[in-house]
Amino acid sequence: MADKINTPGFVTNEKTLHKDLTLLRKVADQASCKLLYSTKACSLSAVLRIVNRKVDGFACSSPFELHLVDQLRNSNCSLHLVSPLISKETLEEFGERLDYLTFNSFSQWKLLNSRVSAETKAGLRVNPQLSFVSDPRYDPCRQNSKLGVPIHKLAELFDTEPNSLRGISGLHFHNNCEGSDFAGLLATARHIQDVIPKVLHQVDWINMGGGYLFNQAHDYADFYEAVAIFRESFGLEVFIEPGASVVRQCGTIEATVHDIFESDDIQIAIVDTTVNHMPEVFEFQFEPDVLGHVEGGLHSYILAGCTCLAGDVFGHYSFDSALTVGSKITFLNMGAYTMSKSHRFNGVSLPTLYVRSFDGSLDKVRTDSFDEFAKNMGIPNVAVT
Ligand SMILES: Cc1ncc(COP(=O)(O)O)c(C=O)c1O
């Protein structure tokens, strides 16, 4: 597969994407909840076109994402915006095309509620103040969190100033990351039910966010129960908006080895990609899955990226056959938060985009160019000499 690809490359595999979406669709239907796709995980057209066929809508974070989705979505897919920053310009620009809108804070709601179109359902993000994420950089419920109205504050507001919440028709929460069972979601649903039952009786919908890997879970009972709490006890329309669970497994980064040398008794293999193409590898300091890696394999290497950063390394890998200059490396499970976070540090070009279609054929979608790099640097119309 890798030999037809100009590296560095990013390949979207339609079959895998379809398989993971089918599972999500089945679970959402079984629970009678609406399935949105959280565009931030990967907004490549190859992904959005397939996702479009299976979801009820798209959850976006910014005007750029909204415009992109708005151009590609089916007419029956709803458009949702949730962000710590919603501007009056965005509300003017999208007007009634926004189906659902979640304000992050009470102050944003107060500032902008009069500008929300009558066609748009406005909600408030609630911080359930229940943490499941050990790394505070990724914990929406961390101390002094900027994400959502703290649940006890919301309960107090409802009791003391109920009129100030008039016009809010829904709630949104998102408080996990990489969850592979739904115990945290169920605990959160029960907690919300206990602390703000009056608010739940007042609203029409709730969005339970993303943060769960549906394709790694073995049991969906807690998920079904969490949805049922809101649907059956409060009559709410329930949404989920997974990102990683939809796209993680359908994307690979393809690379070529360009140099091999020894450093402190270990072989270093330099590849033509970098952690800047997969920034979460660096942020989380994890070793991405590599095709052909075998624990205890005969030939061991540190696979390293091609930029000047000393820490631009992927980790220790072993293979049954020795790598040589020209060997191809495939980084697996790279579909989520890869192309949406990838950047050109050191001027290294972005990966060339490919799609592996259902019939197995491979199509090139886009090659990065010096022209694009120069434009991003504020230099239009510069020629390569
Ligand atoms: C508000 C919100 N919804 C959905 C998601 C998607 O989460 P995941 O990709 O973990 O499913 C995120 C991720 O950060 C988020 O912040």
Side-chain angles (χ1 to χ4, degrees):
M1 163 173 162
D3 50 352
K4 292 192 221 152
I5 293 174
N6 296 334
T7 59
F10 178 89
V11 181
T12 303
N13 186 309
E14 290 189 340
K15 230 190 234 177
T16 312
L17 177 57
H18 183 262
K19 173 178 69 60
D20 285 333
L21 271 168
T22 303
L23 170 77
L24 273 157
R25 185 70 265 173
K26 198 173 134 211
V27 175
D29 286 347
Q30 178 83 27
S32 300
C33 75
K34 295 264 169 71
L35 173 62
L36 310 178
Y37 170 57
S38 186
T39 319
K40 69 188 80 177
C42 180
S43 42
L44 296 178
S45 69
V47 165
L48 296 183
R49 283 181 210 285
I50 302 277
V51 169
N52 220 350
R53 302 178 193 165
K54 289 271 179 198
V55 297
D56 300 298
F58 291 88
C60 298
S61 310
S62 66
F64 278 8
E65 281 190 0
L66 284 170
H67 276 302
L68 205 66
V69 164
D70 205 23
Q71 285 183 25
L72 294 179
R73 69 179 167 143
N74 287 337
S75 55
N76 57 340
C77 281
S78 51
L79 199 56
H80 301 238
L81 174 63
V82 52
S83 169
L85 195 170
I86 291 170
S87 70
K88 69 176 182 359
E89 288 78 14
T90 303
L91 297 183
E92 278 159 17
E93 209 174 333
F94 289 92
E96 61 187 34
R97 276 181 297 159
L98 265 183
D99 297 296
Y100 291 78
L101 170 66
T102 297
F103 289 103
N104 181 60
S105 68
F106 192 62
S107 38
Q108 276 254 291
W109 159 249
K110 277 211 305 213
L111 182 73
L112 295 171
N113 74 68
S114 61
R115 297 176 183 270
V116 177
S117 153
E119 308 300 314
T120 305
K121 294 179 177 159
L124 204 54
R125 179 164 178 169
V126 54
N127 169 1
Q129 298 181 288
L130 263 193
S131 283
F132 301 104
V133 183
S134 53
D135 183 339
R137 293 175 306 159
Y138 297 92
D139 180 10
C141 302
R142 63 191 266 168
Q143 188 71 24
N144 305 126
S145 172
K146 65 171 191 181
L147 298 169
V149 182
I151 192 163
H152 294 287
K153 177 88 190 153
L154 188 56
E156 193 186 303
L157 262 173
F158 191 83
D159 284 338
T160 54
E161 298 174 51
N163 284 345
S164 63
L165 298 175
R166 186 166 298 145
I168 288 174
S169 68
L171 295 178
H172 182 293
F173 68 91
H174 167 86
N175 65 335
N176 209 345
C177 174
E178 307 273 307
S180 55
D181 67 54
F182 299 99
L185 186 67
L186 180 56
T188 306
R190 287 182 174 144
H191 180 62
I192 292 175
Q193 167 180 244
D194 288 346
V195 181
I196 48 169
K198 290 189 232 162
V199 183
L200 292 175
H201 278 298
Q202 196 74 16
V203 295
D204 304 322
W205 58 272
I206 190 158
N207 184 327
M208 307 199 300
Y212 292 88
L213 298 171
F214 285 74
N215 38 14
Q216 285 186 16
H218 301 295
D219 184 350
Y220 299 97
D222 285 356
F223 175 74
Y224 296 141
E225 198 177 331
V227 176
I229 286 176
F230 296 124
R231 267 181 57 77
E232 287 163 22
S233 310
F234 299 95
L236 304 187
E237 181 181 35
V238 181
F239 296 91
I240 51 170
E241 50 178 26
S245 192
V246 178
V247 288
R248 171 160 299 154
Q249 294 181 357
C250 76
T252 56
I253 288 274
E254 309 290 340
T256 303
V257 174
H258 281 255
D259 192 14
I260 300 176
F261 53 84
E262 198 176 296
S263 173
D264 296 326
D265 299 328
I266 187 140
Q267 296 288 110
I268 308 286
I270 303 280
V271 292
D272 54 8
T273 185
T274 152
V275 292
N276 304 311
H277 292 159
M278 328 167 208
E280 291 205 334
V281 168
F282 191 73
E283 284 175 41
F284 290 106
Q285 291 290 299
F286 73 94
E287 297 196 343
D289 299 331
V290 165
L291 189 68
H293 162 70
V294 271
E295 217 49 69
L298 280 179
H299 306 273
S300 296
Y301 304 88
I302 287 179
L303 291 183
C306 59
T307 72
C308 67
L309 177 69
D312 182 6
V313 290
F314 296 99
H316 292 73
Y317 296 89
S318 299
F319 303 92
D320 282 338
S321 312
L323 296 180
T324 55
V325 169
S327 292
K328 301 297 179 190
I329 300 290
T330 298
F331 293 91
L332 302 164
N333 303 319
M334 277 296 145
Y337 302 104
T338 295
M339 291 314 298
S340 53
K341 288 191 168 186
S342 155
H343 58 86
R344 297 190 187 92
F345 176 59
N346 272 201
V348 175
S349 66
L350 296 175
T352 301
L353 302 180
Y354 292 88
V355 180
R356 173 80 60 195
S357 301
F358 285 100
D359 65 7
S361 61
L362 188 74
D363 291 317
K364 193 193 284 185
V365 176
R366 182 181 189 272
T367 308
D368 196 20
S369 64
F370 171 68
D371 199 39
E372 286 294 317
F373 173 60
K375 272 190 198 146
N376 270 299
M377 298 303 128
I379 314 168
N381 309 320
V382 69
V384 182
T385 49

